[in-house]
Amino acid sequence: MFKGFKDFLMRGNVVDLAVAVVIGAAFTAVVTAFTEAFLEPLIRLVSGGGELGGTFVVNGIEFNWAMFVNAVITFLITAAVVYFLVVLPLKTVQERRKRGEEEGPADPTEVELLVEIRDLLREGRRDEAAGRHAAGGPAD
């Protein structure tokens, strides 16, 4: 049970995904800090400044529209960076591969496939033998 979990965690795509999430969170924190430190005060200043800059009051309840505009700007900056630094380059590479201008990932050779099949068969036999031993069945 733990071996399967370990194999799952050690797959390259799971580790890459974890790294991407951490970097994405850190980048979002930087963009949020920038918009809160620079853009929100500018919005408040443009909207009249002072204590009520960037807000309006209805029946004694304060609505902070500057904070909302700040969040929208944070989202747009983050989305633009993801699009221009990740999505667009990947899309360009895929289009080049379709046109034949760029090679795709190399297909595994027959020897590599046979080695992988052999390893999977060995692993299956070990798991099967371990299951028989745990159940108290006859051993090979």
Side-chain angles (χ1 to χ4, degrees):
M1 178 170 82
F2 290 112
K3 182 185 181 316
F5 183 66
K6 177 185 168 198
D7 292 342
F8 169 75
L9 289 178
M10 296 312 292
R11 285 186 188 165
N13 55 354
V14 173
V15 174
D16 292 343
L17 180 61
V19 169
V21 168
V22 169
I23 289 174
F27 176 73
T28 301
V30 169
V31 172
T32 300
F34 169 75
T35 56
E36 287 177 355
F38 294 103
L39 297 181
E40 191 170 344
L42 284 174
I43 293 167
R44 291 184 185 283
L45 186 63
V46 168
S47 66
E51 193 175 310
L52 294 178
T55 63
F56 62 91
V57 179
V58 176
N59 291 332
I61 298 178
E62 184 177 313
F63 292 87
N64 189 345
W65 64 270
M67 188 183 304
F68 174 74
V69 171
N70 184 37
V72 169
I73 292 171
T74 300
F75 171 77
L76 292 175
I77 290 172
T78 304
V81 168
V82 168
Y83 179 76
F84 288 111
L85 294 182
V86 177
V87 175
L88 193 60
L90 287 177
K91 187 177 177 183
T92 304
V93 168
Q94 287 175 342
E95 288 173 358
R96 286 183 187 162
R97 286 181 180 168
K98 284 181 183 177
R99 291 190 307 256
E101 296 174 9
E102 189 171 319
E103 290 185 26
D107 292 331
T109 64
E110 289 180 18
V111 173
E112 291 171 331
L113 290 173
L114 289 171
V115 168
E116 185 177 343
I117 291 169
R118 180 201 64 201
D119 292 344
L120 289 170
L121 288 171
R122 281 184 182 166
E123 186 178 306
R125 286 185 186 153
R126 272 190 239 121
D127 291 345
E128 186 177 297
R132 278 196 303 249
H133 290 295
D140 285 331

